[in-house]
Amino acid sequence: MLQKFLVNCLFTFFFIGFASAQLITDNPKVETVAKEVNLSSPYHTTLTFFYNLEESNYKPERASRALDFTGLEEEYDDEKLSVKLKQIFEGKGVIIRTSSIPNLPNYQDTTSGAPESVYFFDKSKMPGVFLEKVGKQWKFSSFTVSQIDDLHQQTYPYGTDRLLNLLPKIGNDEYLGLHLWQLTGIFFLILLVFVAHFFFTFVVDKVLVYFFKRAGYQKLGENYLLPVARVTSFYLIVMVLSLFLPVLQLPVEIWSWIVIILNTLKPFLITVIFYKLVNVVAVYFARLATKTESTLDDQLVPLMRKTLKAFVVIIGTLFILRDGLNLDIIPFLTGLSIGGVAIALAAQDTIKNFFGSVMIFIDKPFQVGDWITSGDIDGTVEEVGFRSTRIRTFRNSLMYVPNGKIADAVLDNHGLRQYRRFYTTLTITYDTPPQLIEEFVKGLKEIVLAHPNTRKDYFNVYFNNLSAYSQDIMFYVFFEVPTWPEELRCRHELLIQIVKLANTLGVRFAFPTQTLHMESFPEKKGLVPEYATEPVYYQKKLGEFMQQEIHKKND
């Protein structure tokens, strides 16, 4: 748990014996050098300022001589500003190592381009705090002095700066390398962390669940929003620690590491929060996708979720590197851009497929479940990815087609058909009389009109051709159904009705045959059936069929 980790960090102060001084030096003669007020170089000015503000040698009037008040109109309390400036260094976790400070009276900083007689302690944490050569002396610049009050307020915000004066009144006795007021502050801070964690846990697990349940979103709240709220509670605890830990003025070498940990946890937890919020956004868009007819939206939602999560991780990592680990990400981004060009050249097909998938989602030439054909592509779309589309062939095999190829191909989308055509030729024998053909064609038209899934405004049923062995009737209709199985069902129903109609009227279907005609014998009947010559007979038969098959089915 996060709060346990932070508490353990606090307890390590009892077992590590670092000095609490801001100034760290390996020079045993530094005390002798620092006793005198010497501002001849950045090195001597730094020693003068920090040595005279240590507890063992507390002389703020000497330290204040390192501040430059030239050109400042306001009146300042020199000693208070000196103490505040040291507290800013402590709150920022800046370690001053004498071995890294130049000991040259004519030192010039060349990092910003033109050489300047200035020295920065830490440009990333305190860009406005620097030493400047004034005449023959090095002092904290007048710009720095004018910014001390604002910087102090930023370092100890929301009135926590008052605790710097109140807590030491508890007692300065030392125990385990820390003052009594520091130990007391650590105790109350640990207590505050546990109370805050208990409060946030109660609000998240009890109050939010209750409101989600009342609003009818219990599943959404428990599975998606509660994880976000829990991570948010950890983030608030980190913010509380960042607010109050600087007030304790802990040993600088330990505090410098805690500053890094806290500054890393902030962007890390924010990244986790947004990472989990992507799931909430994905659920919202998934619900919108279910309300649309297109199934392609259902495939777009998981792809969008993965893309957003990758984007959050990349951006979060950059903030962790910059704000947490205090790394310069500009060279990294520059190298990334150069490497990106090389990768782009080496992965042209992958990029082409990616943009092909983008065009598929924008143009929507098909959706999941559609039957598409194009060259060797023939099957039903199962899944659309960022690189390829998965198609189930009618052999039940899987075909993976690059999206770049699909985007450039001419697709025939059978799944977007509004009507599905059914065309066949009904062949009847040549001995069928015209009256019977007329009634048979009328019956066929009635069958089409009576079927619930046929197109009523356009169909063709006509006596169409005289072929070598049959009289041909064209049967050309359209089904208004979404899938191929539905089309097969409708075909089945129509053909069954056609066979029943033919049997009722006495229509015989022809097939390729050869007939040998012989003179009929008196005692033998011919194979050719005897047809009625009056149309009324066939009209009566058609009426019986309509009554028995069509009207009864509709009723």
Side-chain angles (χ1 to χ4, degrees), residues 144-162:
T144 300
V145 175
S146 66
Q147 298 293 314
I148 289 178
D149 287 331
D150 293 336
L151 291 174
H152 194 268
Q153 187 66 29
Q154 294 174 11
T155 309
Y156 304 94
Y158 306 111
T160 53
D161 55 330
R162 299 178 183 176

mmCIF file with all atom_site columns, all heavy atoms in Angstrom, residues 144-162:
data_model
loop_
_atom_site.group_PDB
_atom_site.id
_atom_site.type_symbol
_atom_site.label_atom_id
_atom_site.label_alt_id
_atom_site.label_comp_id
_atom_site.label_asym_id
_atom_site.label_entity_id
_atom_site.label_seq_id
_atom_site.pdbx_PDB_ins_code
_atom_site.Cartn_x
_atom_site.Cartn_y
_atom_site.Cartn_z
_atom_site.occupancy
_atom_site.B_iso_or_equiv
_atom_site.pdbx_formal_charge
_atom_site.auth_seq_id
_atom_site.auth_comp_id
_atom_site.auth_asym_id
_atom_site.auth_atom_id
_atom_site.pdbx_PDB_model_num
ATOM 1   N N   . THR A 1 144 ? 17.031 38.029 -7.131 1.00 0.00 ? 144 THR A N   1
ATOM 2   C CA  . THR A 1 144 ? 16.759 36.929 -6.195 1.00 0.00 ? 144 THR A CA  1
ATOM 3   C C   . THR A 1 144 ? 16.149 37.449 -4.910 1.00 0.00 ? 144 THR A C   1
ATOM 4   O O   . THR A 1 144 ? 15.178 36.889 -4.383 1.00 0.00 ? 144 THR A O   1
ATOM 5   C CB  . THR A 1 144 ? 18.049 36.153 -5.902 1.00 0.00 ? 144 THR A CB  1
ATOM 6   O OG1 . THR A 1 144 ? 18.559 35.609 -7.115 1.00 0.00 ? 144 THR A OG1 1
ATOM 7   C CG2 . THR A 1 144 ? 17.808 35.039 -4.899 1.00 0.00 ? 144 THR A CG2 1
ATOM 8   N N   . VAL A 1 145 ? 16.720 38.538 -4.382 1.00 0.00 ? 145 VAL A N   1
ATOM 9   C CA  . VAL A 1 145 ? 16.221 39.118 -3.127 1.00 0.00 ? 145 VAL A CA  1
ATOM 10  C C   . VAL A 1 145 ? 14.777 39.559 -3.271 1.00 0.00 ? 145 VAL A C   1
ATOM 11  O O   . VAL A 1 145 ? 13.943 39.356 -2.378 1.00 0.00 ? 145 VAL A O   1
ATOM 12  C CB  . VAL A 1 145 ? 17.121 40.292 -2.691 1.00 0.00 ? 145 VAL A CB  1
ATOM 13  C CG1 . VAL A 1 145 ? 16.543 40.982 -1.454 1.00 0.00 ? 145 VAL A CG1 1
ATOM 14  C CG2 . VAL A 1 145 ? 18.535 39.804 -2.402 1.00 0.00 ? 145 VAL A CG2 1
ATOM 15  N N   . SER A 1 146 ? 14.440 40.140 -4.417 1.00 0.00 ? 146 SER A N   1
ATOM 16  C CA  . SER A 1 146 ? 13.062 40.611 -4.621 1.00 0.00 ? 146 SER A CA  1
ATOM 17  C C   . SER A 1 146 ? 12.074 39.451 -4.748 1.00 0.00 ? 146 SER A C   1
ATOM 18  O O   . SER A 1 146 ? 10.865 39.641 -4.557 1.00 0.00 ? 146 SER A O   1
ATOM 19  C CB  . SER A 1 146 ? 12.998 41.487 -5.872 1.00 0.00 ? 146 SER A CB  1
ATOM 20  O OG  . SER A 1 146 ? 13.279 40.725 -7.042 1.00 0.00 ? 146 SER A OG  1
ATOM 21  N N   . GLN A 1 147 ? 12.589 38.256 -5.064 1.00 0.00 ? 147 GLN A N   1
ATOM 22  C CA  . GLN A 1 147 ? 11.707 37.109 -5.262 1.00 0.00 ? 147 GLN A CA  1
ATOM 23  C C   . GLN A 1 147 ? 11.613 36.210 -4.029 1.00 0.00 ? 147 GLN A C   1
ATOM 24  O O   . GLN A 1 147 ? 10.849 35.231 -4.050 1.00 0.00 ? 147 GLN A O   1
ATOM 25  C CB  . GLN A 1 147 ? 12.218 36.261 -6.442 1.00 0.00 ? 147 GLN A CB  1
ATOM 26  C CG  . GLN A 1 147 ? 12.236 36.982 -7.777 1.00 0.00 ? 147 GLN A CG  1
ATOM 27  C CD  . GLN A 1 147 ? 10.844 37.298 -8.264 1.00 0.00 ? 147 GLN A CD  1
ATOM 28  O OE1 . GLN A 1 147 ? 9.951  36.457 -8.242 1.00 0.00 ? 147 GLN A OE1 1
ATOM 29  N NE2 . GLN A 1 147 ? 10.635 38.538 -8.689 1.00 0.00 ? 147 GLN A NE2 1
ATOM 30  N N   . ILE A 1 148 ? 12.352 36.508 -2.967 1.00 0.00 ? 148 ILE A N   1
ATOM 31  C CA  . ILE A 1 148 ? 12.419 35.588 -1.825 1.00 0.00 ? 148 ILE A CA  1
ATOM 32  C C   . ILE A 1 148 ? 11.051 35.366 -1.196 1.00 0.00 ? 148 ILE A C   1
ATOM 33  O O   . ILE A 1 148 ? 10.648 34.219 -0.909 1.00 0.00 ? 148 ILE A O   1
ATOM 34  C CB  . ILE A 1 148 ? 13.433 36.110 -0.780 1.00 0.00 ? 148 ILE A CB  1
ATOM 35  C CG1 . ILE A 1 148 ? 14.857 35.964 -1.328 1.00 0.00 ? 148 ILE A CG1 1
ATOM 36  C CG2 . ILE A 1 148 ? 13.297 35.347 0.534  1.00 0.00 ? 148 ILE A CG2 1
ATOM 37  C CD1 . ILE A 1 148 ? 15.937 36.497 -0.395 1.00 0.00 ? 148 ILE A CD1 1
ATOM 38  N N   . ASP A 1 149 ? 10.297 36.448 -0.963 1.00 0.00 ? 149 ASP A N   1
ATOM 39  C CA  . ASP A 1 149 ? 8.984  36.293 -0.324 1.00 0.00 ? 149 ASP A CA  1
ATOM 40  C C   . ASP A 1 149 ? 8.046  35.429 -1.169 1.00 0.00 ? 149 ASP A C   1
ATOM 41  O O   . ASP A 1 149 ? 7.346  34.543 -0.641 1.00 0.00 ? 149 ASP A O   1
ATOM 42  C CB  . ASP A 1 149 ? 8.358  37.668 -0.082 1.00 0.00 ? 149 ASP A CB  1
ATOM 43  C CG  . ASP A 1 149 ? 9.043  38.414 1.054  1.00 0.00 ? 149 ASP A CG  1
ATOM 44  O OD1 . ASP A 1 149 ? 9.567  37.734 1.964  1.00 0.00 ? 149 ASP A OD1 1
ATOM 45  O OD2 . ASP A 1 149 ? 9.058  39.660 1.030  1.00 0.00 ? 149 ASP A OD2 1
ATOM 46  N N   . ASP A 1 150 ? 8.025  35.658 -2.467 1.00 0.00 ? 150 ASP A N   1
ATOM 47  C CA  . ASP A 1 150 ? 7.149  34.861 -3.336 1.00 0.00 ? 150 ASP A CA  1
ATOM 48  C C   . ASP A 1 150 ? 7.597  33.408 -3.397 1.00 0.00 ? 150 ASP A C   1
ATOM 49  O O   . ASP A 1 150 ? 6.763  32.489 -3.354 1.00 0.00 ? 150 ASP A O   1
ATOM 50  C CB  . ASP A 1 150 ? 7.134  35.460 -4.749 1.00 0.00 ? 150 ASP A CB  1
ATOM 51  C CG  . ASP A 1 150 ? 6.465  36.828 -4.797 1.00 0.00 ? 150 ASP A CG  1
ATOM 52  O OD1 . ASP A 1 150 ? 5.641  37.099 -3.906 1.00 0.00 ? 150 ASP A OD1 1
ATOM 53  O OD2 . ASP A 1 150 ? 6.774  37.609 -5.716 1.00 0.00 ? 150 ASP A OD2 1
ATOM 54  N N   . LEU A 1 151 ? 8.910  33.190 -3.499 1.00 0.00 ? 151 LEU A N   1
ATOM 55  C CA  . LEU A 1 151 ? 9.421  31.816 -3.538 1.00 0.00 ? 151 LEU A CA  1
ATOM 56  C C   . LEU A 1 151 ? 9.144  31.084 -2.230 1.00 0.00 ? 151 LEU A C   1
ATOM 57  O O   . LEU A 1 151 ? 8.824  29.885 -2.227 1.00 0.00 ? 151 LEU A O   1
ATOM 58  C CB  . LEU A 1 151 ? 10.926 31.827 -3.824 1.00 0.00 ? 151 LEU A CB  1
ATOM 59  C CG  . LEU A 1 151 ? 11.352 32.264 -5.235 1.00 0.00 ? 151 LEU A CG  1
ATOM 60  C CD1 . LEU A 1 151 ? 12.878 32.354 -5.318 1.00 0.00 ? 151 LEU A CD1 1
ATOM 61  C CD2 . LEU A 1 151 ? 10.831 31.284 -6.276 1.00 0.00 ? 151 LEU A CD2 1
ATOM 62  N N   . HIS A 1 152 ? 9.239  31.805 -1.132 1.00 0.00 ? 152 HIS A N   1
ATOM 63  C CA  . HIS A 1 152 ? 8.968  31.199 0.171  1.00 0.00 ? 152 HIS A CA  1
ATOM 64  C C   . HIS A 1 152 ? 7.490  30.811 0.268  1.00 0.00 ? 152 HIS A C   1
ATOM 65  O O   . HIS A 1 152 ? 7.144  29.741 0.805  1.00 0.00 ? 152 HIS A O   1
ATOM 66  C CB  . HIS A 1 152 ? 9.339  32.184 1.287  1.00 0.00 ? 152 HIS A CB  1
ATOM 67  C CG  . HIS A 1 152 ? 9.408  31.549 2.642  1.00 0.00 ? 152 HIS A CG  1
ATOM 68  N ND1 . HIS A 1 152 ? 8.330  31.507 3.495  1.00 0.00 ? 152 HIS A ND1 1
ATOM 69  C CD2 . HIS A 1 152 ? 10.435 30.923 3.299  1.00 0.00 ? 152 HIS A CD2 1
ATOM 70  C CE1 . HIS A 1 152 ? 8.670  30.905 4.607  1.00 0.00 ? 152 HIS A CE1 1
ATOM 71  N NE2 . HIS A 1 152 ? 9.950  30.534 4.525  1.00 0.00 ? 152 HIS A NE2 1
ATOM 72  N N   . GLN A 1 153 ? 6.612  31.651 -0.264 1.00 0.00 ? 153 GLN A N   1
ATOM 73  C CA  . GLN A 1 153 ? 5.183  31.353 -0.248 1.00 0.00 ? 153 GLN A CA  1
ATOM 74  C C   . GLN A 1 153 ? 4.865  30.152 -1.141 1.00 0.00 ? 153 GLN A C   1
ATOM 75  O O   . GLN A 1 153 ? 3.991  29.337 -0.814 1.00 0.00 ? 153 GLN A O   1
ATOM 76  C CB  . GLN A 1 153 ? 4.389  32.588 -0.725 1.00 0.00 ? 153 GLN A CB  1
ATOM 77  C CG  . GLN A 1 153 ? 2.876  32.460 -0.593 1.00 0.00 ? 153 GLN A CG  1
ATOM 78  C CD  . GLN A 1 153 ? 2.438  32.394 0.863  1.00 0.00 ? 153 GLN A CD  1
ATOM 79  O OE1 . GLN A 1 153 ? 3.098  32.937 1.737  1.00 0.00 ? 153 GLN A OE1 1
ATOM 80  N NE2 . GLN A 1 153 ? 1.328  31.721 1.104  1.00 0.00 ? 153 GLN A NE2 1
ATOM 81  N N   . GLN A 1 154 ? 5.572  30.022 -2.254 1.00 0.00 ? 154 GLN A N   1
ATOM 82  C CA  . GLN A 1 154 ? 5.364  28.880 -3.139 1.00 0.00 ? 154 GLN A CA  1
ATOM 83  C C   . GLN A 1 154 ? 5.885  27.585 -2.517 1.00 0.00 ? 154 GLN A C   1
ATOM 84  O O   . GLN A 1 154 ? 5.288  26.522 -2.697 1.00 0.00 ? 154 GLN A O   1
ATOM 85  C CB  . GLN A 1 154 ? 6.060  29.118 -4.481 1.00 0.00 ? 154 GLN A CB  1
ATOM 86  C CG  . GLN A 1 154 ? 5.474  30.259 -5.294 1.00 0.00 ? 154 GLN A CG  1
ATOM 87  C CD  . GLN A 1 154 ? 6.291  30.550 -6.541 1.00 0.00 ? 154 GLN A CD  1
ATOM 88  O OE1 . GLN A 1 154 ? 7.182  29.773 -6.913 1.00 0.00 ? 154 GLN A OE1 1
ATOM 89  N NE2 . GLN A 1 154 ? 6.008  31.675 -7.202 1.00 0.00 ? 154 GLN A NE2 1
ATOM 90  N N   . THR A 1 155 ? 6.988  27.680 -1.789 1.00 0.00 ? 155 THR A N   1
ATOM 91  C CA  . THR A 1 155 ? 7.568  26.492 -1.175 1.00 0.00 ? 155 THR A CA  1
ATOM 92  C C   . THR A 1 155 ? 6.757  26.015 0.017  1.00 0.00 ? 155 THR A C   1
ATOM 93  O O   . THR A 1 155 ? 6.626  24.802 0.255  1.00 0.00 ? 155 THR A O   1
ATOM 94  C CB  . THR A 1 155 ? 9.018  26.776 -0.739 1.00 0.00 ? 155 THR A CB  1
ATOM 95  O OG1 . THR A 1 155 ? 9.743  27.343 -1.837 1.00 0.00 ? 155 THR A OG1 1
ATOM 96  C CG2 . THR A 1 155 ? 9.713  25.507 -0.274 1.00 0.00 ? 155 THR A CG2 1
ATOM 97  N N   . TYR A 1 156 ? 6.183  26.960 0.761  1.00 0.00 ? 156 TYR A N   1
ATOM 98  C CA  . TYR A 1 156 ? 5.368  26.625 1.939  1.00 0.00 ? 156 TYR A CA  1
ATOM 99  C C   . TYR A 1 156 ? 3.996  27.283 1.776  1.00 0.00 ? 156 TYR A C   1
ATOM 100 O O   . TYR A 1 156 ? 3.703  28.307 2.414  1.00 0.00 ? 156 TYR A O   1
ATOM 101 C CB  . TYR A 1 156 ? 6.050  27.109 3.216  1.00 0.00 ? 156 TYR A CB  1
ATOM 102 C CG  . TYR A 1 156 ? 7.457  26.589 3.398  1.00 0.00 ? 156 TYR A CG  1
ATOM 103 C CD1 . TYR A 1 156 ? 8.552  27.339 2.976  1.00 0.00 ? 156 TYR A CD1 1
ATOM 104 C CD2 . TYR A 1 156 ? 7.691  25.357 3.972  1.00 0.00 ? 156 TYR A CD2 1
ATOM 105 C CE1 . TYR A 1 156 ? 9.847  26.872 3.128  1.00 0.00 ? 156 TYR A CE1 1
ATOM 106 C CE2 . TYR A 1 156 ? 8.984  24.872 4.141  1.00 0.00 ? 156 TYR A CE2 1
ATOM 107 C CZ  . TYR A 1 156 ? 10.057 25.636 3.707  1.00 0.00 ? 156 TYR A CZ  1
ATOM 108 O OH  . TYR A 1 156 ? 11.332 25.154 3.866  1.00 0.00 ? 156 TYR A OH  1
ATOM 109 N N   . PRO A 1 157 ? 3.133  26.705 0.923  1.00 0.00 ? 157 PRO A N   1
ATOM 110 C CA  . PRO A 1 157 ? 1.851  27.360 0.616  1.00 0.00 ? 157 PRO A CA  1
ATOM 111 C C   . PRO A 1 157 ? 0.786  27.104 1.683  1.00 0.00 ? 157 PRO A C   1
ATOM 112 O O   . PRO A 1 157 ? 0.989  26.315 2.624  1.00 0.00 ? 157 PRO A O   1
ATOM 113 C CB  . PRO A 1 157 ? 1.451  26.701 -0.722 1.00 0.00 ? 157 PRO A CB  1
ATOM 114 C CG  . PRO A 1 157 ? 2.050  25.337 -0.637 1.00 0.00 ? 157 PRO A CG  1
ATOM 115 C CD  . PRO A 1 157 ? 3.333  25.473 0.145  1.00 0.00 ? 157 PRO A CD  1
ATOM 116 N N   . TYR A 1 158 ? -0.336 27.784 1.515  1.00 0.00 ? 158 TYR A N   1
ATOM 117 C CA  . TYR A 1 158 ? -1.539 27.596 2.338  1.00 0.00 ? 158 TYR A CA  1
ATOM 118 C C   . TYR A 1 158 ? -1.260 27.789 3.828  1.00 0.00 ? 158 TYR A C   1
ATOM 119 O O   . TYR A 1 158 ? -1.798 27.067 4.684  1.00 0.00 ? 158 TYR A O   1
ATOM 120 C CB  . TYR A 1 158 ? -2.151 26.209 2.101  1.00 0.00 ? 158 TYR A CB  1
ATOM 121 C CG  . TYR A 1 158 ? -2.413 25.929 0.656  1.00 0.00 ? 158 TYR A CG  1
ATOM 122 C CD1 . TYR A 1 158 ? -1.668 24.969 -0.025 1.00 0.00 ? 158 TYR A CD1 1
ATOM 123 C CD2 . TYR A 1 158 ? -3.402 26.625 -0.053 1.00 0.00 ? 158 TYR A CD2 1
ATOM 124 C CE1 . TYR A 1 158 ? -1.898 24.706 -1.368 1.00 0.00 ? 158 TYR A CE1 1
ATOM 125 C CE2 . TYR A 1 158 ? -3.632 26.363 -1.395 1.00 0.00 ? 158 TYR A CE2 1
ATOM 126 C CZ  . TYR A 1 158 ? -2.882 25.408 -2.049 1.00 0.00 ? 158 TYR A CZ  1
ATOM 127 O OH  . TYR A 1 158 ? -3.118 25.156 -3.370 1.00 0.00 ? 158 TYR A OH  1
ATOM 128 N N   . GLY A 1 159 ? -0.385 28.711 4.165  1.00 0.00 ? 159 GLY A N   1
ATOM 129 C CA  . GLY A 1 159 ? -0.136 29.043 5.566  1.00 0.00 ? 159 GLY A CA  1
ATOM 130 C C   . GLY A 1 159 ? 0.777  28.089 6.291  1.00 0.00 ? 159 GLY A C   1
ATOM 131 O O   . GLY A 1 159 ? 0.983  28.239 7.510  1.00 0.00 ? 159 GLY A O   1
ATOM 132 N N   . THR A 1 160 ? 1.335  27.098 5.601  1.00 0.00 ? 160 THR A N   1
ATOM 133 C CA  . THR A 1 160 ? 2.242  26.169 6.285  1.00 0.00 ? 160 THR A CA  1
ATOM 134 C C   . THR A 1 160 ? 3.543  26.850 6.713  1.00 0.00 ? 160 THR A C   1
ATOM 135 O O   . THR A 1 160 ? 4.271  26.309 7.555  1.00 0.00 ? 160 THR A O   1
ATOM 136 C CB  . THR A 1 160 ? 2.576  24.976 5.364  1.00 0.00 ? 160 THR A CB  1
ATOM 137 O OG1 . THR A 1 160 ? 3.071  25.467 4.104  1.00 0.00 ? 160 THR A OG1 1
ATOM 138 C CG2 . THR A 1 160 ? 1.334  24.138 5.101  1.00 0.00 ? 160 THR A CG2 1
ATOM 139 N N   . ASP A 1 161 ? 3.844  28.029 6.137  1.00 0.00 ? 161 ASP A N   1
ATOM 140 C CA  . ASP A 1 161 ? 5.061  28.728 6.547  1.00 0.00 ? 161 ASP A CA  1
ATOM 141 C C   . ASP A 1 161 ? 4.996  29.161 8.003  1.00 0.00 ? 161 ASP A C   1
ATOM 142 O O   . ASP A 1 161 ? 6.027  29.332 8.664  1.00 0.00 ? 161 ASP A O   1
ATOM 143 C CB  . ASP A 1 161 ? 5.295  29.941 5.643  1.00 0.00 ? 161 ASP A CB  1
ATOM 144 C CG  . ASP A 1 161 ? 4.096  30.870 5.596  1.00 0.00 ? 161 ASP A CG  1
ATOM 145 O OD1 . ASP A 1 161 ? 2.956  30.378 5.756  1.00 0.00 ? 161 ASP A OD1 1
ATOM 146 O OD2 . ASP A 1 161 ? 4.287  32.083 5.401  1.00 0.00 ? 161 ASP A OD2 1
ATOM 147 N N   . ARG A 1 162 ? 3.777  29.326 8.527  1.00 0.00 ? 162 ARG A N   1
ATOM 148 C CA  . ARG A 1 162 ? 3.645  29.700 9.943  1.00 0.00 ? 162 ARG A CA  1
ATOM 149 C C   . ARG A 1 162 ? 4.119  28.578 10.854 1.00 0.00 ? 162 ARG A C   1
ATOM 150 O O   . ARG A 1 162 ? 4.581  28.824 11.982 1.00 0.00 ? 162 ARG A O   1
ATOM 151 C CB  . ARG A 1 162 ? 2.197  30.040 10.254 1.00 0.00 ? 162 ARG A CB  1
ATOM 152 C CG  . ARG A 1 162 ? 1.646  31.223 9.442  1.00 0.00 ? 162 ARG A CG  1
ATOM 153 C CD  . ARG A 1 162 ? 0.200  31.468 9.757  1.00 0.00 ? 162 ARG A CD  1
ATOM 154 N NE  . ARG A 1 162 ? -0.353 32.558 8.936  1.00 0.00 ? 162 ARG A NE  1
ATOM 155 C CZ  . ARG A 1 162 ? -1.626 32.935 8.955  1.00 0.00 ? 162 ARG A CZ  1
ATOM 156 N NH1 . ARG A 1 162 ? -2.481 32.303 9.757  1.00 0.00 ? 162 ARG A NH1 1
ATOM 157 N NH2 . ARG A 1 162 ? -2.037 33.922 8.178  1.00 0.00 ? 162 ARG A NH2 1
#
